[in-house]
């Protein structure tokens, strides 16, 4: 939900309302653009340039309120930004987009695991921002973050990342297998945490490796390298798909078909459990022939549509994202609108 105001000149309300609408649309576009850009690219000159043909960057909007005062007109709009068009506009201007990122919380006494994970993530186009307390991270601290990741997620938002990646190593005692030869085995556990209503753990992966060395420390370092090399593939292929798309937002989802309250509550409860990227949902309002849910998510509109394909519909209904069919089929309207959480 965005607002815009303009001055009424010579008593002409129409042009003032148009200017106020343009200002509100530009504000909506800039809010989304700012989430896609690094801080050094969020300049006022760029913001003004986005105002040129700003309506080309809008998928749809709805006027919710128009307030006329003595010399000004203020409008309040629900706006859905066309993110694909926005990305094309930024690319045409030659402005790089901010890469997705994670707050990295890593600890291992056997070797520099944080540096190795940072390099592996960078090869996949993911920024790894070290936790502010990384130099003092302990095994107990890692366990605390895994059990209650809220503080780490707050730091992740401050660092303009969308999740926290927690990594720990678990070595087994080294064993002498021959004179001056020691065997060591180590297990590396990596978990991805985000703000999800059902469970904060989005993704988990582990790998183990065994190695030999002249002493326990050397063998453990080599085992750590091997375990991390086994994690390289899932970090490159699976993690990017699990990473939340961006900042938290609120989307209003219109369902064509009047749902009973119990069914609407059941659907709202299923969304955070079954749709990756959805944090929470609750019924927003009911109308004749339609039900509205408010969905808190890190996905954009197109991402939410795809995620809805995994959701189990309420008993007695089927779920479709296209058109209303006879026979009690539940269809999702294409009209989704975004507002500030």
């Amino acid at each position: 939900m965005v607002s815009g105001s303009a001055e009424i000149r010579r008593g002409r309300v129409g042009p003032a309302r148009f200017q106020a609408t343009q200002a509100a649309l530009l504000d909506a576009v800039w809010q989304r653009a700012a989430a896609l850009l690094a801080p050094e690219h969020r300049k006022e000159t760029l913001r003004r340039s986005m105002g040129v043909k700003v309506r080309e960057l809008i998928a749809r909007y709805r006027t919710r309120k128009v307030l006329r005062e003595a010399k000004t007109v203020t409008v309040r709009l629900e706006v859905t930004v066309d993110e694909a068009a926005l990305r094309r506009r930024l690319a045409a201007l030659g402005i790089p987009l901010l890469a997705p990122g994670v707050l990295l919380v890593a600890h291992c006494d056997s070797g520099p695991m944080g540096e190795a994970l940072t390099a592996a993530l960078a090869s996949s186009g993911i920024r790894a921002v070290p936790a502010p307390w990384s130099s003092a991270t302990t095994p107990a601290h890692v366990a605390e973050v895994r059990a209650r990741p809220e503080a780490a997620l707050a730091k992740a938002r401050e660092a303009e990342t969308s999740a926290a990646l927690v990594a720990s190593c678990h070595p087994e005692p080294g064993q002498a297998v021959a004179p001056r030869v020691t065997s060591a085995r180590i297990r590396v556990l990596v978990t991805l945490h985000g703000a999800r209503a059902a469970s904060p753990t989005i993704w988990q992966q582990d790998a183990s490796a065994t190695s030999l060395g002249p002493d326990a420390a050397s063998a453990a370092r080599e085992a750590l390298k091997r375990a991390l090399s086994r994690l390289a593939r899932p970090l490159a292929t699976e993690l990017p798909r699990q990473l939340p798309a961006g900042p938290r937002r609120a989307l209003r989802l219109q369902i064509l078909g009047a749902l009973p309250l119990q069914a609407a509550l059941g659907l709202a409860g299923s969304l955070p459990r079954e749709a990756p990227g959805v944090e929470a949902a609750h019924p927003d309002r009911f109308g004749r022939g339609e039900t509205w849910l408010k969905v808190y998510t890190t996905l954009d509109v197109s991402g939410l549509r795809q995620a809805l394909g995994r959701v189990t519909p309420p008993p007695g209904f089927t779920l479709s994202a296209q058109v209303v069919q006879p026979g009690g089929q539940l269809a999702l309207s294409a009209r989704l609108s975004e507002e500030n959480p």
Side-chain angles (χ1 to χ4, degrees), residues 3-334:
S3 300
S5 299
E7 182 182 356
I8 300 174
R9 297 182 179 181
R10 298 179 181 178
R12 302 173 65 186
V13 178
R17 178 171 173 174
F18 177 80
Q19 293 173 9
T21 300
Q22 290 290 101
L25 294 177
L26 176 58
D27 189 39
V29 168
W30 184 244
Q31 287 180 24
R32 187 64 198 126
L36 298 173
L37 299 173
E40 61 268 22
H41 296 299
R42 299 171 193 163
K43 299 178 180 179
E44 181 61 26
T45 53
L46 175 62
R47 184 183 188 279
R48 290 196 296 268
S49 72
M50 304 299 288
V52 179
K53 298 182 179 179
V54 69
R55 295 186 183 234
E56 294 181 354
L57 307 177
I58 303 298
R60 60 190 60 83
Y61 75 91
R62 179 183 298 179
T63 303
R64 283 299 182 188
K65 182 180 290 187
V66 178
L67 179 63
R68 179 180 174 181
E69 297 178 345
K71 295 183 179 181
T72 61
V73 171
T74 301
V75 297
R76 189 165 177 80
L77 310 178
E78 284 185 356
V79 182
T80 301
V81 177
D82 187 339
E83 187 161 325
L86 176 59
R87 288 175 178 270
R88 288 194 297 269
R89 174 77 67 87
L90 293 171
L93 293 172
I95 300 172
L97 301 184
L98 184 66
V102 295
L103 184 78
L104 181 60
V105 182
H107 175 79
C108 185
D109 290 328
S110 301
M113 183 171 62
E115 290 85 342
L117 288 172
T118 299
L121 293 169
S123 66
S124 303
I126 298 174
R127 293 178 300 122
V129 180
W133 58 83
S134 58
S135 60
T137 302
T138 65
H141 195 177
V142 170
E144 176 70 16
V145 171
R146 281 205 174 105
R148 287 182 287 275
E150 293 81 8
L153 291 174
K155 294 293 184 182
R157 287 189 290 271
E158 292 175 8
E160 299 188 332
T161 61
S162 57
L165 189 70
V166 184
S168 57
C169 66
H170 307 272
E172 297 180 3
Q175 297 181 352
V177 296
R180 298 183 180 179
V181 178
T182 301
S183 171
R185 181 174 178 81
I186 198 166
R187 173 175 173 258
V188 175
L189 175 63
V190 177
T191 52
L192 182 68
H193 301 272
R196 296 287 300 277
S199 171
T201 302
I202 301 174
W203 180 78
Q204 179 171 302
Q205 190 68 242
D206 70 308
S208 300
T210 303
S211 185
L212 301 176
D215 53 60
S218 300
R221 283 195 299 270
E222 186 60 31
L224 176 63
K225 291 180 182 178
R226 293 185 180 184
L228 290 172
S229 67
R230 293 175 181 175
L231 282 173
R233 182 178 179 84
L235 286 174
T237 58
E238 298 179 21
L239 179 62
R241 294 198 299 266
Q242 299 295 333
L243 197 62
R248 187 179 191 261
R249 65 187 69 179
L251 296 176
R252 295 179 68 243
L253 173 64
Q254 182 189 39
I255 301 171
L256 299 182
L259 278 178
L261 176 60
Q262 198 62 33
L265 290 172
L267 180 60
S270 298
L271 283 169
R273 291 195 303 269
E274 301 177 6
V278 174
E279 301 174 7
H282 60 78
D284 188 43
R285 60 186 173 89
F286 296 86
R288 180 174 296 180
E290 64 180 19
T291 304
W292 290 82
L293 300 180
K294 182 170 284 188
V295 181
Y296 295 93
T297 177
T298 55
L299 302 172
D300 58 15
V301 173
S302 60
L304 178 59
R305 287 184 186 136
Q306 295 176 7
L308 288 170
R310 304 185 183 186
V311 176
T312 304
F317 292 89
T318 56
L319 193 60
S320 168
Q322 298 177 11
V323 296
V324 178
Q325 302 289 345
Q329 178 158 335
L330 177 67
L332 299 173
S333 169

